[in-house]
Amino acid sequence: MKKLIALLLVAVMVFAMTACAPAAQQGDGKDTYAIVCKDASNPYMKRMVSGFKTACEALGVNFVEKSPETTSAQDQITIVNELIAQGVKAIAIAANDAAALEATLKTAREAGIAIVTLDSDTKGSQMFINQAGVKEVAQVLVDSIYDMAGGEGEFAVLSASSTATNQNAWIAAMQEIIAADSKYASLVWKETVYGDDEPTKSTTETQNLLTKYPDLKVICCPTTVGILAAAQTVESTDGCTVKIAGLGLPSEMKEYVGDDKVCPYMYLWNPIDVGNCAAYAIKAILDGKVGAVDSTFTAENGKTYTVMTGDTAEKQIIVGPPFAFTGENIADWAGVY
């Protein structure tokens, strides 16, 4: 009887260890693709993860998500090191700090792990899944500011973290566009502030801008967390006529978008497509299907992707152009993401 009980205890322990082990350690013979987002609570990131997971399931590989609770580069580094130790086949990461992550991603690649970046790039990546071209995003943001301000006046930018590569690239491109075209000469860029993609901090930064600059006409938010916080703050401020421009999720912004609302229109792309593309790009890299710049490859989802020169990563794929959400179409899209 004692032997039987002992054997049963061992069996239970083995089962528990197997059930709790990461997919990469389960010994099922499948590769594991991991995704690491900027933070675990960002709704945009959650939708990106859903697209990645769907593609992993279609490819027949294991899926795992491990994201920090805050936009911490150090926490991302810890997570990547854990994934290296677990023996995953590939990692897709939305970088919180390009400089801080470079060495860790190099270590992962030296361990034979395929690395792609998505949403926000960093060196060490083999492929950046770019939601839209940097200049294209910057142009629609600048034109939104110009339109909402009536061609002149003060505006400010509420960004995510000061180290986010995508945000910084868009802001730098906006500066170049404004400086190069006399059309924008009457726009006055007062300040760029950072909400760290946290609702509370983004709200506080918006309140500070409204107090500091009483003549402000537009706050541009190239971040889905920031644009919602800014819209809610302006909406709840009596007598405030500031308009909100930027990039937002239609499901979150549907109450605030329209000709007679705080945000006349905004832009974004489908984060589900970004995550989906990342998984298929990983498979193409592992299969040796990704060629030189200007070449194409057809993924298992039937889509053909063009390989382009990367700004930071070795190469990139641009998923699509920015898409405008207006009062006429936002209700239709709000149910999608």
Side-chain angles (χ1 to χ4, degrees):
M1 179 61 72
K2 289 182 179 180
K3 286 185 178 181
L4 179 59
I5 293 173
L7 286 171
L8 288 171
L9 287 172
V10 170
V12 168
M13 289 174 66
V14 170
F15 175 78
M17 291 173 65
T18 302
C20 296
Q25 297 178 336
Q26 287 183 1
D28 59 7
K30 295 180 180 180
D31 291 339
T32 295
Y33 295 0
I35 185 169
V36 182
C37 293
K38 291 181 176 179
D39 66 88
S41 60
N42 187 320
Y44 176 91
M45 294 286 153
K46 289 181 179 179
R47 288 162 177 82
M48 198 168 66
V49 169
S50 72
F52 187 83
K53 181 180 181 181
T54 298
C56 287
E57 291 170 347
L59 290 169
V61 299
N62 289 321
F63 155 85
V64 61
E65 181 209 355
K66 291 182 70 69
S67 299
E69 292 303 316
T70 63
T71 53
S72 164
Q74 186 54 53
D75 286 352
Q76 283 190 320
I77 290 170
T78 299
I79 288 169
V80 171
N81 284 328
E82 290 173 355
L83 292 170
I84 293 171
Q86 291 169 14
V88 300
K89 192 69 173 178
I91 299 172
I93 183 167
N96 278 327
D97 187 325
L101 283 161
E102 182 179 352
T104 306
L105 295 186
K106 180 181 178 183
T107 300
R109 288 185 61 180
E110 289 172 349
I113 298 171
I115 300 291
V116 304
T117 37
L118 69 171
D119 183 74
S120 188
D121 200 9
T122 181
K123 290 182 180 178
S125 169
Q126 292 163 268
M127 178 74 74
F128 176 42
I129 310 305
N130 194 346
Q131 51 268 52
V134 170
K135 292 181 180 179
E136 289 81 1
V137 173
Q139 188 67 62
V140 298
L141 293 176
V142 169
D143 287 339
S144 296
I145 295 166
Y146 181 84
D147 178 39
M148 293 180 196
E152 61 182 7
E154 299 177 357
F155 75 94
V157 171
L158 169 62
S159 187
S161 69
S162 61
T163 56
T165 52
N166 57 340
Q167 306 283 321
N168 290 341
W170 296 331
I171 290 169
M174 288 171 66
Q175 292 170 334
E176 292 174 1
I177 290 168
I178 290 172
D181 194 335
S182 60
K183 171 183 176 179
Y184 308 113
S186 296
L187 292 177
V188 182
W189 192 329
K190 299 301 291 185
E191 190 175 357
T192 299
V193 298
Y194 303 93
D196 290 341
D197 264 352
E198 296 176 0
T200 301
K201 187 175 182 183
S202 296
T203 298
T204 300
E205 292 293 348
T206 302
Q207 291 169 338
N208 291 342
L209 288 173
L210 296 177
T211 301
K212 192 174 181 180
Y213 305 109
D215 295 326
L216 205 64
K217 287 189 172 182
V218 180
I219 299 175
C220 180
C221 309
T223 154
T224 60
V225 176
I227 196 171
L228 178 60
Q232 290 173 333
T233 302
V234 170
E235 183 84 2
S236 62
T237 303
D238 290 340
C240 186
T241 60
V242 172
K243 295 298 182 184
I244 303 300
L247 310 174
L249 289 166
S251 58
E252 294 185 337
M253 288 292 292
K254 61 182 179 180
E255 296 178 27
Y256 306 101
V257 172
D259 291 339
D260 58 345
K261 296 187 177 181
V262 64
C263 179
Y265 54 88
M266 65 177 193
Y267 290 86
L268 200 64
W269 35 84
N270 193 333
I272 298 170
D273 289 344
V274 176
N276 200 264
C277 180
Y280 285 111
I282 286 171
K283 184 66 163 59
I285 290 170
L286 293 173
D287 290 347
K289 292 170 62 176
V290 176
V293 171
D294 294 330
S295 66
T296 62
F297 68 90
T298 301
E300 283 77 0
N301 61 356
K303 294 183 179 180
T304 298
Y305 298 104
T306 300
V307 178
M308 305 177 69
T309 301
D311 296 319
T312 303
E314 295 171 10
K315 299 170 182 175
Q316 70 172 326
I317 294 170
I318 295 179
V319 178
F323 182 81
F325 297 98
T326 68
E328 294 180 355
N329 67 12
I330 194 163
D332 295 332
W333 285 96
V336 179
Y337 69 104

